[in-house]
Amino acid sequence: MQINHPTFTVFKHAAYTILFCVALAGCASNKPEINISESQNFAALNTFYVTPPLNAINEVIENQVANAITRTLQSKGLTPSSEEDADIIVGFFPSTASKENGTRVNLGLGTGIFGRSGGLSLGSIFSLPVGEQVTQYQNLQIDMVHNNEFIYSAAGSAELESKDSISVQQKLEQLVEALLATYPAKG
């Protein structure tokens, strides 16, 4: 049985719109925040040194992040060097966070009287908890310093679908590439 009542059509379109918005919100990405010094001549910078993070927690993951930073900066035309000889000192700060989302289902029950000139609707809405959902995020901040001034700063996060070390490592490498994507490449 197909219903073609105008009110039903409006509710059907509203339901499709809400489902589209929910799906779109679920696909939203955490865009990195990047700041670059406008006054810095990046073409004059040739070498870099990656310092260990201040919050040393997992040495294997930290080494992976440092290696990903090194590979990405080398692909931009920079050369790794000792801390004393480096044009740029690169620091990074990895952290994890979790976000709890209470999942709920809303149900509406009601009756209504509708006429040509007005309407009356009586009803109530019930909100039932379905379960708790915890989302894990890997956060990373990368800062570059030249002559005691910040010249590049980038921060972002990646949602972790699983907590195993290989998945975390892959997400961090992707995050490093995204954070350093706008660093100016050498000519």
Side-chain angles (χ1 to χ4, degrees):
M1 179 175 146
Q2 186 172 353
I3 301 173
N4 288 327
H5 192 273
T7 305
F8 178 74
T9 304
V10 169
F11 285 121
K12 184 172 77 171
H13 289 301
Y16 286 139
T17 303
I18 290 170
L19 286 174
F20 175 73
C21 290
V22 168
L24 189 61
C27 295
S29 64
N30 299 321
K31 288 198 160 226
E33 294 181 28
I34 299 173
N35 289 312
I36 302 174
S37 173
E38 298 293 327
S39 62
Q40 181 61 49
N41 178 10
F42 286 93
L45 303 175
N46 298 311
T47 59
F48 69 94
Y49 175 78
V50 180
T51 63
L54 297 174
N55 64 334
I57 296 172
N58 184 331
E59 186 177 341
V60 174
I61 295 293
E62 292 158 6
N63 286 336
Q64 290 299 98
V65 171
N67 289 336
I69 291 171
T70 300
R71 280 192 308 275
T72 304
L73 290 177
Q74 283 178 320
S75 73
K76 301 277 186 176
L78 297 171
T79 306
S81 73
S82 66
E83 186 173 7
E84 299 80 30
D85 297 330
D87 296 328
I88 305 168
I89 303 298
V90 181
F92 64 98
F93 185 80
S95 64
T96 57
S98 61
K99 180 181 174 185
E100 294 182 21
N101 297 326
T103 305
R104 304 179 76 77
V105 172
N106 296 320
L107 302 173
L109 301 172
T111 60
I113 303 170
F114 299 95
R116 290 178 99 153
S117 61
L120 173 65
S121 176
L122 304 171
S124 59
I125 295 181
F126 298 97
S127 181
L128 305 172
V130 174
E132 293 297 319
Q133 180 182 13
V134 177
T135 305
Q136 293 286 330
Y137 291 93
Q138 180 64 52
N139 304 319
L140 181 62
Q141 179 169 340
I142 299 174
D143 292 317
M144 297 184 187
V145 177
H146 173 68
N147 291 336
N148 295 321
E149 288 185 30
F150 287 100
I151 61 168
Y152 188 93
S153 179
S157 64
E159 184 177 336
L160 302 175
E161 287 87 24
S162 50
K163 298 176 186 173
D164 65 280
S165 296
I166 293 172
S167 297
V168 171
Q169 173 184 324
Q170 290 170 342
K171 286 289 188 175
L172 277 172
E173 286 186 19
Q174 293 169 356
L175 185 56
V176 166
E177 290 172 5
L179 294 177
L180 296 177
T182 59
Y183 184 88
K186 296 197 66 75

